[in-house]
Amino acid sequence: MSKADEVFIGAIDQGTSSSRFLIFNVKGQIVASHQAEYENLYAKAGWVEKDPGQILQSVETVIVGACRRFNALGYETSQIKGVGITNQRETTVAFDIESGEPLTNAIIWNDVRTKELVHKLIDEAGSATRYATINGLPITTYFSAVKMRWMLENVPAVQAAREKGTLRFGTIDSWLIYKMTGHFITDVTNASRTMLMDIRSFKWSKECLDFFGIQESELPEIRSSSEIYGTINEGRLKGVAIAGCLGDQQAAMVGQSCFETGEAKNTYGTGCFMLFNTGDTPIFSKNGLLTTVGYKLGANATPKYALEGSVAVAGSAIQWLRDKVGLIVSAPEIGFLSDTVTDNGGVYFVTAFSGLFAPYWRDDARGCIVGLTQYATRGHIARATLESVCYQSHAILDAMRKDSGHELRRLRVDGGMTNSEQAMQIQADILGIEVVRPEMRETTALGAALAAGLGVGVWKDESELRQVAQSNVTAFWSGITDEKRTEMIDGWEKAVKRSLDWA
């Protein structure tokens, strides 16, 4: 095949602190990419927000940057046959459909300004899980519906747009698809994170809409994760179809080829997210996990469900040590620092900066470092930071085992923290099972690209996607005894209790 005959798929990866555009060949290899980091706004304690226009601008910037590099390699942008989107989930945008402009800053997924509203809604509902059998989710600050309700109650511009009938609410994927194609569309994975979609019918639930005070006309059309939603209307990719869309964690699930029931992956990014494929049937957790849509790869495809557990703080704890505390100068340094000690020295760091997610669900928890003595060093604190994510992942995996009735023997991992050999060895030690890291670390972007490629016919079915996603792997095995593991986990649970009832 000549260079001019090669075809490629692009992936927009819109994350919590950066946007990226990656161009993949048909083997799933990255040919060109560009990234633009940005800072969110923290107007008050617990508030996290960002101008949606700046998010869109960052996406446009990275597309230009990646395409320039792609062209410099001798390729034409016409060889890019489709684009997939993967995005930070739950983050909520309100805009005016007449002007196409945002009405206020987007409320980011880890924002906790809605805490009082959530308690009020739980009182009204009678239980945090009142609607979980419909939408799979508890009422918490995490999901989009409460962010929409807060905007309606507190932002005059949103209230005015509601009165005019021009108000639209969406997650980041629907905002980007609308601005890039003119079509207001979301996919089933992102819709399943709003608390407003019936996860069996894949339609907006009237019962949930009525409870949260949202009108169906204000929401995007729900489509599958792999089909043509529209074509890009301007810029370097004008005329290229956007044909794949998955929330970031579901995209990683596809990128890790977790297509079989019982397969699981854990993504270590700003937060930490474990998804467990439960097959064609949703399993409703009795252990604090979320029931979510894993993916639906085609308009007529069978949807797959997943159990999910989320850790609010993972990579962001390392950023905190670097940027706020000054314990390290660069993120990779944490691995070298943790290697200066053989264990945590009795130090535990509960990274509950904005509460604890699954399976604890305690928004009154706050971060704490416990077990400090004069023996403790920078190395112990560094190790305790890495261990914190691993302990929380263990708690989630244990809950998944109880809910599903399946013992997981292998965990597939991806995300920034997996670059740390130390972190992955700690994870294997604490879990007591094999931890598998693929050579292709960009599994989230790859998942979006695979969905888009399937949508435009570059790949034909899941078996072809699995072949593309498979690559060389590194396996980590536990190096500690069961007794030592139990002792470490007991210490962690004691530390968690010390973090509660602070807010």
Side-chain angles (χ1 to χ4, degrees):
M1 181 186 293
S2 69
K3 199 167 190 175
D5 292 330
E6 293 182 61
V7 297
F8 302 87
I9 296 292
I12 296 167
D13 183 354
Q14 205 301 297
T16 309
S17 55
S18 73
S19 294
R20 300 187 302 161
F21 187 64
L22 303 90
I23 302 170
F24 293 87
N25 63 20
V26 293
K27 295 179 180 178
Q29 299 165 327
I30 299 170
V31 178
S33 66
H34 191 73
Q35 179 173 1
E37 293 188 356
Y38 60 79
E39 291 187 4
N40 292 310
L41 305 173
Y42 304 90
K44 297 180 181 179
W47 289 36
V48 191
E49 57 188 57
K50 184 66 178 176
D51 180 350
Q54 292 178 357
I55 292 175
L56 175 65
Q57 186 177 43
S58 72
V59 169
E60 293 169 343
T61 296
V62 296
I63 289 174
V64 169
C67 286
R68 281 177 178 162
R69 294 174 181 178
F70 186 64
N71 296 150
L73 293 171
Y75 298 110
E76 299 295 329
T77 50
S78 60
Q79 292 175 259
I80 300 173
K81 299 305 179 184
V83 171
I85 293 176
T86 181
N87 56 285
Q88 52 173 315
R89 305 169 304 168
E90 296 96 24
T91 294
T92 304
V93 177
F95 68 96
D96 189 295
I97 195 68
E98 276 188 353
S99 68
E101 295 303 312
L103 295 164
T104 185
N105 282 339
I107 300 180
I108 306 301
W109 60 273
N110 56 347
D111 181 288
V112 293
R113 75 183 66 186
T114 56
K115 179 183 173 184
E116 290 184 7
L117 173 60
V118 163
H119 291 312
K120 174 187 168 188
L121 290 171
I122 291 172
D123 287 343
E124 288 180 16
S127 165
T129 57
R130 166 67 180 80
Y131 298 97
T133 55
I134 299 173
N135 60 33
L137 308 172
I139 301 171
T140 76
T141 60
Y142 192 21
F143 306 109
S144 305
V146 294
K147 303 180 196 301
M148 297 176 191
R149 175 73 171 264
W150 187 93
M151 290 179 182
L152 280 166
E153 292 183 358
N154 294 278
V155 182
V158 172
Q159 296 163 353
R162 155 76 58 99
E163 291 176 8
K164 285 175 59 184
T166 58
L167 173 62
R168 297 295 183 271
F169 285 119
T171 42
I172 292 297
D173 60 300
S174 59
W175 166 246
L176 293 177
I177 292 172
Y178 171 70
K179 295 299 284 186
M180 296 175 76
T181 72
H183 300 289
F184 192 34
I185 290 168
T186 189
D187 92 297
V188 293
T189 68
N190 280 291
S192 74
R193 311 298 293 187
T194 62
M195 290 197 289
L196 298 173
M197 188 187 82
D198 185 320
I199 61 171
R200 291 187 180 86
S201 69
F202 303 100
K203 299 182 184 300
W204 299 119
S205 161
K206 184 178 187 305
E207 190 173 353
C208 294
L209 291 171
D210 289 346
F211 178 74
F212 289 104
I214 310 301
Q215 298 174 10
E216 185 171 354
S217 60
E218 296 167 345
L219 299 173
E221 178 187 355
I222 302 172
R223 304 271 283 272
S224 80
S225 308
S226 179
E227 60 179 282
I228 295 174
Y229 312 118
T231 55
I232 296 173
N233 49 32
E234 63 181 5
R236 286 181 176 251
L237 296 179
K238 184 176 181 179
V240 177
I242 295 181
C245 179
L246 297 127
D248 52 9
Q249 304 314 317
Q250 285 93 335
M253 192 175 184
V254 172
Q256 287 270 31
S257 68
C258 291
F259 297 137
E260 300 297 326
T261 302
E263 292 187 318
K265 72 91 202 173
N266 199 6
T267 296
Y268 304 75
T270 303
C272 187
F273 303 88
M274 189 182 295
L275 266 72
F276 182 98
N277 188 328
T278 62
D280 302 350
T281 306
I283 291 176
F284 296 95
S285 177
K286 298 177 181 177
N287 295 284
L289 299 175
L290 309 176
T291 303
T292 195
V293 179
Y295 54 85
K296 185 172 187 273
L297 296 178
N300 298 314
T302 301
K304 299 294 183 180
Y305 294 91
L307 284 171
E308 176 175 334
S310 308
V311 179
V313 177
S316 54
I318 298 172
Q319 293 173 338
W320 180 78
L321 287 183
R322 181 191 65 192
D323 300 337
K324 298 295 179 69
V325 180
L327 188 73
I328 55 176
V329 176
S330 64
E333 187 184 345
I334 194 166
F336 300 117
L337 196 55
S338 68
D339 253 4
T340 63
V341 296
T342 56
D343 56 29
N344 64 15
V347 176
Y348 292 85
F349 182 8
V350 183
T351 54
F353 295 146
S354 55
L356 287 169
F357 287 171
Y360 307 102
W361 292 115
R362 291 292 295 263
D363 60 10
D364 62 338
R366 288 297 179 265
C368 65
I369 299 176
V370 300
L372 289 171
T373 65
Q374 287 183 309
Y375 171 73
T377 66
R378 293 167 67 235
H380 291 117
I381 294 174
R383 185 179 177 93
T385 304
L386 296 180
E387 286 187 356
S388 177
V389 180
C390 300
Y391 284 123
Q392 291 175 81
S393 296
H394 171 271
I396 292 168
L397 187 62
D398 193 49
M400 288 178 169
R401 177 185 58 79
K402 292 173 182 175
D403 280 327
S404 69
H406 292 286
E407 291 286 345
L408 183 67
R409 300 298 179 189
R410 180 184 298 110
L411 179 67
R412 302 178 188 273
V413 298
D414 57 75
M417 267 185 66
T418 63
N419 291 321
S420 168
E421 304 283 321
Q422 297 86 350
M424 293 303 95
Q425 185 57 55
I426 291 168
Q427 185 68 90
D429 288 342
I430 291 173
L431 290 179
I433 61 173
E434 182 186 13
V435 171
V436 178
R437 182 182 66 191
E439 185 177 52
M440 161 56 72
R441 308 292 174 81
E442 302 294 350
T443 54
T444 301
L446 177 61
L450 291 174
L454 186 66
V456 297
V458 170
W459 299 294
K460 292 183 172 57
D461 52 34
E462 282 184 13
S463 65
E464 288 195 5
L465 299 188
R466 186 182 286 276
Q467 288 177 356
V468 175
Q470 286 177 344
S471 60
N472 296 326
V473 300
T474 301
F476 298 85
W477 297 88
S478 174
I480 63 174
T481 64
D482 291 343
E483 291 76 17
K484 178 62 175 176
R485 183 177 304 111
T486 299
E487 176 189 330
M488 292 167 65
I489 292 168
D490 287 347
W492 165 256
E493 292 299 334
K494 189 186 297 184
V496 167
K497 291 176 182 175
R498 303 294 192 273
S499 75
L500 305 178
D501 298 317
W502 284 100

PDB file of all heavy atoms in Angstrom, residues 65-88:
ATOM      1  N   GLY A  65      -2.740  21.539  15.626  1.00  0.00           N
ATOM      2  CA  GLY A  65      -1.375  21.113  15.931  1.00  0.00           C
ATOM      3  C   GLY A  65      -1.076  19.712  15.447  1.00  0.00           C
ATOM      4  O   GLY A  65      -0.020  19.451  14.845  1.00  0.00           O
ATOM      5  N   ALA A  66      -2.001  18.786  15.675  1.00  0.00           N
ATOM      6  CA  ALA A  66      -1.784  17.397  15.249  1.00  0.00           C
ATOM      7  C   ALA A  66      -1.803  17.282  13.731  1.00  0.00           C
ATOM      8  O   ALA A  66      -1.002  16.537  13.144  1.00  0.00           O
ATOM      9  CB  ALA A  66      -2.840  16.484  15.866  1.00  0.00           C
ATOM     10  N   CYS A  67      -2.716  18.020  13.078  1.00  0.00           N
ATOM     11  CA  CYS A  67      -2.792  17.961  11.616  1.00  0.00           C
ATOM     12  C   CYS A  67      -1.534  18.529  10.967  1.00  0.00           C
ATOM     13  O   CYS A  67      -1.080  18.034   9.927  1.00  0.00           O
ATOM     14  CB  CYS A  67      -4.036  18.692  11.122  1.00  0.00           C
ATOM     15  SG  CYS A  67      -5.581  17.785  11.418  1.00  0.00           S
ATOM     16  N   ARG A  68      -0.952  19.557  11.556  1.00  0.00           N
ATOM     17  CA  ARG A  68       0.307  20.092  11.031  1.00  0.00           C
ATOM     18  C   ARG A  68       1.398  19.034  11.065  1.00  0.00           C
ATOM     19  O   ARG A  68       2.150  18.861  10.108  1.00  0.00           O
ATOM     20  CB  ARG A  68       0.734  21.316  11.851  1.00  0.00           C
ATOM     21  CG  ARG A  68       0.006  22.601  11.487  1.00  0.00           C
ATOM     22  CD  ARG A  68       0.441  23.731  12.391  1.00  0.00           C
ATOM     23  NE  ARG A  68      -0.215  24.994  12.036  1.00  0.00           N
ATOM     24  CZ  ARG A  68      -0.298  26.047  12.831  1.00  0.00           C
ATOM     25  NH1 ARG A  68       0.247  25.997  14.054  1.00  0.00           N
ATOM     26  NH2 ARG A  68      -0.911  27.146  12.433  1.00  0.00           N
ATOM     27  N   ARG A  69       1.488  18.323  12.179  1.00  0.00           N
ATOM     28  CA  ARG A  69       2.488  17.264  12.294  1.00  0.00           C
ATOM     29  C   ARG A  69       2.188  16.121  11.318  1.00  0.00           C
ATOM     30  O   ARG A  69       3.100  15.535  10.737  1.00  0.00           O
ATOM     31  CB  ARG A  69       2.532  16.748  13.738  1.00  0.00           C
ATOM     32  CG  ARG A  69       3.035  17.809  14.710  1.00  0.00           C
ATOM     33  CD  ARG A  69       2.955  17.357  16.162  1.00  0.00           C
ATOM     34  NE  ARG A  69       3.423  18.420  17.046  1.00  0.00           N
ATOM     35  CZ  ARG A  69       3.436  18.348  18.366  1.00  0.00           C
ATOM     36  NH1 ARG A  69       3.008  17.250  18.971  1.00  0.00           N
ATOM     37  NH2 ARG A  69       3.876  19.355  19.090  1.00  0.00           N
ATOM     38  N   PHE A  70       0.915  15.820  11.162  1.00  0.00           N
ATOM     39  CA  PHE A  70       0.477  14.780  10.228  1.00  0.00           C
ATOM     40  C   PHE A  70       0.872  15.152   8.797  1.00  0.00           C
ATOM     41  O   PHE A  70       1.427  14.331   8.053  1.00  0.00           O
ATOM     42  CB  PHE A  70      -1.042  14.629  10.366  1.00  0.00           C
ATOM     43  CG  PHE A  70      -1.649  13.504   9.586  1.00  0.00           C
ATOM     44  CD1 PHE A  70      -1.331  12.190   9.871  1.00  0.00           C
ATOM     45  CD2 PHE A  70      -2.579  13.760   8.590  1.00  0.00           C
ATOM     46  CE1 PHE A  70      -1.922  11.140   9.170  1.00  0.00           C
ATOM     47  CE2 PHE A  70      -3.171  12.727   7.881  1.00  0.00           C
ATOM     48  CZ  PHE A  70      -2.840  11.414   8.178  1.00  0.00           C
ATOM     49  N   ASN A  71       0.611  16.411   8.426  1.00  0.00           N
ATOM     50  CA  ASN A  71       0.976  16.887   7.093  1.00  0.00           C
ATOM     51  C   ASN A  71       2.485  16.895   6.883  1.00  0.00           C
ATOM     52  O   ASN A  71       2.979  16.588   5.788  1.00  0.00           O
ATOM     53  CB  ASN A  71       0.423  18.299   6.853  1.00  0.00           C
ATOM     54  CG  ASN A  71      -1.099  18.373   6.862  1.00  0.00           C
ATOM     55  OD1 ASN A  71      -1.673  19.392   7.218  1.00  0.00           O
ATOM     56  ND2 ASN A  71      -1.772  17.281   6.490  1.00  0.00           N
ATOM     57  N   ALA A  72       3.219  17.223   7.950  1.00  0.00           N
ATOM     58  CA  ALA A  72       4.683  17.256   7.865  1.00  0.00           C
ATOM     59  C   ALA A  72       5.266  15.874   7.584  1.00  0.00           C
ATOM     60  O   ALA A  72       6.377  15.752   7.061  1.00  0.00           O
ATOM     61  CB  ALA A  72       5.276  17.831   9.147  1.00  0.00           C
ATOM     62  N   LEU A  73       4.501  14.826   7.916  1.00  0.00           N
ATOM     63  CA  LEU A  73       4.943  13.458   7.645  1.00  0.00           C
ATOM     64  C   LEU A  73       4.623  13.026   6.214  1.00  0.00           C
ATOM     65  O   LEU A  73       4.932  11.898   5.812  1.00  0.00           O
ATOM     66  CB  LEU A  73       4.278  12.493   8.631  1.00  0.00           C
ATOM     67  CG  LEU A  73       4.689  12.642  10.104  1.00  0.00           C
ATOM     68  CD1 LEU A  73       3.802  11.783  10.999  1.00  0.00           C
ATOM     69  CD2 LEU A  73       6.152  12.272  10.296  1.00  0.00           C
ATOM     70  N   GLY A  74       3.982  13.927   5.461  1.00  0.00           N
ATOM     71  CA  GLY A  74       3.675  13.630   4.064  1.00  0.00           C
ATOM     72  C   GLY A  74       2.277  13.118   3.816  1.00  0.00           C
ATOM     73  O   GLY A  74       1.961  12.659   2.709  1.00  0.00           O
ATOM     74  N   TYR A  75       1.395  13.216   4.820  1.00  0.00           N
ATOM     75  CA  TYR A  75       0.024  12.760   4.675  1.00  0.00           C
ATOM     76  C   TYR A  75      -0.913  13.945   4.450  1.00  0.00           C
ATOM     77  O   TYR A  75      -0.605  15.082   4.819  1.00  0.00           O
ATOM     78  CB  TYR A  75      -0.437  12.006   5.928  1.00  0.00           C
ATOM     79  CG  TYR A  75       0.354  10.756   6.224  1.00  0.00           C
ATOM     80  CD1 TYR A  75       1.221  10.701   7.315  1.00  0.00           C
ATOM     81  CD2 TYR A  75       0.232   9.624   5.425  1.00  0.00           C
ATOM     82  CE1 TYR A  75       1.947   9.547   7.601  1.00  0.00           C
ATOM     83  CE2 TYR A  75       0.951   8.469   5.711  1.00  0.00           C
ATOM     84  CZ  TYR A  75       1.806   8.443   6.789  1.00  0.00           C
ATOM     85  OH  TYR A  75       2.525   7.303   7.065  1.00  0.00           O
ATOM     86  N   GLU A  76      -2.083  13.667   3.882  1.00  0.00           N
ATOM     87  CA  GLU A  76      -3.122  14.676   3.684  1.00  0.00           C
ATOM     88  C   GLU A  76      -4.241  14.460   4.702  1.00  0.00           C
ATOM     89  O   GLU A  76      -4.560  13.309   5.035  1.00  0.00           O
ATOM     90  CB  GLU A  76      -3.701  14.577   2.259  1.00  0.00           C
ATOM     91  CG  GLU A  76      -2.690  14.813   1.151  1.00  0.00           C
ATOM     92  CD  GLU A  76      -2.145  16.225   1.147  1.00  0.00           C
ATOM     93  OE1 GLU A  76      -2.895  17.153   1.537  1.00  0.00           O
ATOM     94  OE2 GLU A  76      -0.968  16.409   0.770  1.00  0.00           O
ATOM     95  N   THR A  77      -4.838  15.545   5.161  1.00  0.00           N
ATOM     96  CA  THR A  77      -5.923  15.407   6.137  1.00  0.00           C
ATOM     97  C   THR A  77      -7.123  14.668   5.548  1.00  0.00           C
ATOM     98  O   THR A  77      -7.935  14.117   6.296  1.00  0.00           O
ATOM     99  CB  THR A  77      -6.377  16.783   6.673  1.00  0.00           C
ATOM    100  OG1 THR A  77      -6.615  17.658   5.576  1.00  0.00           O
ATOM    101  CG2 THR A  77      -5.317  17.392   7.565  1.00  0.00           C
ATOM    102  N   SER A  78      -7.229  14.616   4.217  1.00  0.00           N
ATOM    103  CA  SER A  78      -8.316  13.862   3.577  1.00  0.00           C
ATOM    104  C   SER A  78      -8.189  12.369   3.834  1.00  0.00           C
ATOM    105  O   SER A  78      -9.145  11.613   3.629  1.00  0.00           O
ATOM    106  CB  SER A  78      -8.328  14.131   2.066  1.00  0.00           C
ATOM    107  OG  SER A  78      -7.092  13.742   1.492  1.00  0.00           O
ATOM    108  N   GLN A  79      -7.020  11.927   4.291  1.00  0.00           N
ATOM    109  CA  GLN A  79      -6.819  10.512   4.613  1.00  0.00           C
ATOM    110  C   GLN A  79      -7.406  10.145   5.980  1.00  0.00           C
ATOM    111  O   GLN A  79      -7.477   8.971   6.325  1.00  0.00           O
ATOM    112  CB  GLN A  79      -5.329  10.161   4.569  1.00  0.00           C
ATOM    113  CG  GLN A  79      -4.725  10.226   3.164  1.00  0.00           C
ATOM    114  CD  GLN A  79      -3.222  10.000   3.163  1.00  0.00           C
ATOM    115  OE1 GLN A  79      -2.439  10.952   3.074  1.00  0.00           O
ATOM    116  NE2 GLN A  79      -2.810   8.747   3.266  1.00  0.00           N
ATOM    117  N   ILE A  80      -7.805  11.158   6.762  1.00  0.00           N
ATOM    118  CA  ILE A  80      -8.478  10.916   8.042  1.00  0.00           C
ATOM    119  C   ILE A  80      -9.952  10.681   7.743  1.00  0.00           C
ATOM    120  O   ILE A  80     -10.663  11.587   7.316  1.00  0.00           O
ATOM    121  CB  ILE A  80      -8.290  12.103   9.008  1.00  0.00           C
ATOM    122  CG1 ILE A  80      -6.798  12.335   9.282  1.00  0.00           C
ATOM    123  CG2 ILE A  80      -9.043  11.859  10.320  1.00  0.00           C
ATOM    124  CD1 ILE A  80      -6.501  13.580  10.093  1.00  0.00           C
ATOM    125  N   LYS A  81     -10.421   9.445   7.941  1.00  0.00           N
ATOM    126  CA  LYS A  81     -11.752   9.054   7.483  1.00  0.00           C
ATOM    127  C   LYS A  81     -12.851   9.254   8.519  1.00  0.00           C
ATOM    128  O   LYS A  81     -14.041   9.179   8.190  1.00  0.00           O
ATOM    129  CB  LYS A  81     -11.729   7.584   7.046  1.00  0.00           C
ATOM    130  CG  LYS A  81     -10.765   7.323   5.894  1.00  0.00           C
ATOM    131  CD  LYS A  81     -11.056   8.217   4.696  1.00  0.00           C
ATOM    132  CE  LYS A  81     -10.085   7.975   3.553  1.00  0.00           C
ATOM    133  NZ  LYS A  81     -10.318   8.920   2.426  1.00  0.00           N
ATOM    134  N   GLY A  82     -12.476   9.478   9.740  1.00  0.00           N
ATOM    135  CA  GLY A  82     -13.473   9.691  10.775  1.00  0.00           C
ATOM    136  C   GLY A  82     -12.807  10.174  12.052  1.00  0.00           C
ATOM    137  O   GLY A  82     -11.595  10.033  12.223  1.00  0.00           O
ATOM    138  N   VAL A  83     -13.606  10.752  12.935  1.00  0.00           N
ATOM    139  CA  VAL A  83     -13.113  11.262  14.216  1.00  0.00           C
ATOM    140  C   VAL A  83     -14.007  10.745  15.330  1.00  0.00           C
ATOM    141  O   VAL A  83     -15.241  10.747  15.211  1.00  0.00           O
ATOM    142  CB  VAL A  83     -13.096  12.808  14.231  1.00  0.00           C
ATOM    143  CG1 VAL A  83     -12.808  13.343  15.629  1.00  0.00           C
ATOM    144  CG2 VAL A  83     -12.059  13.341  13.247  1.00  0.00           C
ATOM    145  N   GLY A  84     -13.372  10.283  16.395  1.00  0.00           N
ATOM    146  CA  GLY A  84     -14.103   9.888  17.592  1.00  0.00           C
ATOM    147  C   GLY A  84     -13.859  10.886  18.709  1.00  0.00           C
ATOM    148  O   GLY A  84     -12.835  11.575  18.722  1.00  0.00           O
ATOM    149  N   ILE A  85     -14.806  10.985  19.611  1.00  0.00           N
ATOM    150  CA  ILE A  85     -14.685  11.877  20.770  1.00  0.00           C
ATOM    151  C   ILE A  85     -14.746  11.053  22.042  1.00  0.00           C
ATOM    152  O   ILE A  85     -15.616  10.185  22.193  1.00  0.00           O
ATOM    153  CB  ILE A  85     -15.806  12.935  20.795  1.00  0.00           C
ATOM    154  CG1 ILE A  85     -15.655  13.919  19.628  1.00  0.00           C
ATOM    155  CG2 ILE A  85     -15.815  13.692  22.130  1.00  0.00           C
ATOM    156  CD1 ILE A  85     -16.777  14.934  19.535  1.00  0.00           C
ATOM    157  N   THR A  86     -13.808  11.300  22.938  1.00  0.00           N
ATOM    158  CA  THR A  86     -13.910  10.789  24.296  1.00  0.00           C
ATOM    159  C   THR A  86     -13.720  11.965  25.232  1.00  0.00           C
ATOM    160  O   THR A  86     -12.955  12.887  24.937  1.00  0.00           O
ATOM    161  CB  THR A  86     -12.891   9.664  24.573  1.00  0.00           C
ATOM    162  OG1 THR A  86     -13.084   9.204  25.917  1.00  0.00           O
ATOM    163  CG2 THR A  86     -11.463  10.128  24.404  1.00  0.00           C
ATOM    164  N   ASN A  87     -14.418  11.962  26.331  1.00  0.00           N
ATOM    165  CA  ASN A  87     -14.512  13.193  27.119  1.00  0.00           C
ATOM    166  C   ASN A  87     -14.646  12.924  28.610  1.00  0.00           C
ATOM    167  O   ASN A  87     -15.081  11.853  29.032  1.00  0.00           O
ATOM    168  CB  ASN A  87     -15.728  14.000  26.664  1.00  0.00           C
ATOM    169  CG  ASN A  87     -17.019  13.195  26.756  1.00  0.00           C
ATOM    170  OD1 ASN A  87     -17.270  12.322  25.930  1.00  0.00           O
ATOM    171  ND2 ASN A  87     -17.830  13.474  27.772  1.00  0.00           N
ATOM    172  N   GLN A  88     -14.263  13.955  29.400  1.00  0.00           N
ATOM    173  CA  GLN A  88     -14.563  13.949  30.829  1.00  0.00           C
ATOM    174  C   GLN A  88     -16.081  13.864  30.969  1.00  0.00           C
ATOM    175  O   GLN A  88     -16.818  14.632  30.363  1.00  0.00           O
ATOM    176  CB  GLN A  88     -14.016  15.204  31.494  1.00  0.00           C
ATOM    177  CG  GLN A  88     -14.433  16.522  30.831  1.00  0.00           C
ATOM    178  CD  GLN A  88     -14.011  17.734  31.633  1.00  0.00           C
ATOM    179  OE1 GLN A  88     -14.178  17.785  32.840  1.00  0.00           O
ATOM    180  NE2 GLN A  88     -13.453  18.724  30.952  1.00  0.00           N
TER     181      GLN A  88
END
